[in-house]
Amino acid sequence: MSRAAFLPPVLLGLVVLLLAQLVGLAVSALLDLPVPGVVLGIVLLVVLGILGPTRAVVRVADPAATPLLAHLQLLFVPPSVGIVLELESLAENALPLALAVGGSFLVPLIVSGMVLQALLRQQDRRRDRRQEEAA
């Protein structure tokens, strides 16, 4: 019997989560990517969850992830403290930050609206063609 079978499910789940984070940090550091390693670790877990043969890995992480998700609001405290500590720097860069936040909201909103309009027009054209063919 493997040693992993003797670990409590929550501890085994934490090991899986930490290994995913470690792999993400290693990939980020080795490839000198501008993406945080933690984000790469989450992406790795998502990919493992999507692929059929590796779904069990994500299921093993579930007992540790569920309590963490239940207390997700506590994970917002450190960034909030960081924002308060860097308030002066944020005030100096208010315009670029406002443009970045506003742009990252407006651009996807406009693009998705345009894509939706194009798809609806295409759907209308197909419906009109079917009606013409039926008549």
Side-chain angles (χ1 to χ4, degrees):
M1 192 175 249
S2 71
R3 289 184 185 195
F6 295 115
L7 288 176
V10 173
L11 187 58
L12 188 58
L14 280 174
V15 168
V16 169
L17 293 174
L18 289 173
L19 281 174
Q21 179 180 356
L22 181 68
V23 169
L25 289 169
V27 168
S28 180
L30 289 174
L31 300 178
D32 197 29
L33 296 174
V35 180
V38 177
V39 173
L40 292 177
I42 291 172
V43 169
L44 172 68
L45 279 175
V46 169
V47 169
L48 289 176
I50 290 172
L51 300 176
T54 55
R55 281 194 187 129
V57 174
V58 177
R59 271 189 246 121
V60 168
D62 189 59
T66 303
L68 288 174
L69 289 174
H71 301 290
L72 188 62
Q73 70 273 14
L74 294 176
L75 300 176
F76 286 101
V77 172
S80 303
V81 170
I83 288 172
V84 170
L85 289 175
E86 296 296 328
L87 212 49
E88 183 179 321
S89 175
L90 290 171
E92 291 172 2
N93 299 306
L95 180 62
L97 285 171
L99 291 174
V101 170
S104 66
F105 171 75
L106 286 177
V107 171
L109 180 68
I110 291 169
V111 169
S112 60
M114 292 170 62
V115 168
L116 177 63
Q117 286 179 345
L119 290 172
L120 289 173
R121 278 193 298 268
Q122 184 180 13
Q123 183 182 19
D124 288 343
R125 278 188 240 124
R126 286 182 181 170
R127 188 179 326 120
D128 291 343
R129 270 191 243 134
R130 274 189 250 132
Q131 288 176 352
E132 289 173 4
E133 290 173 2

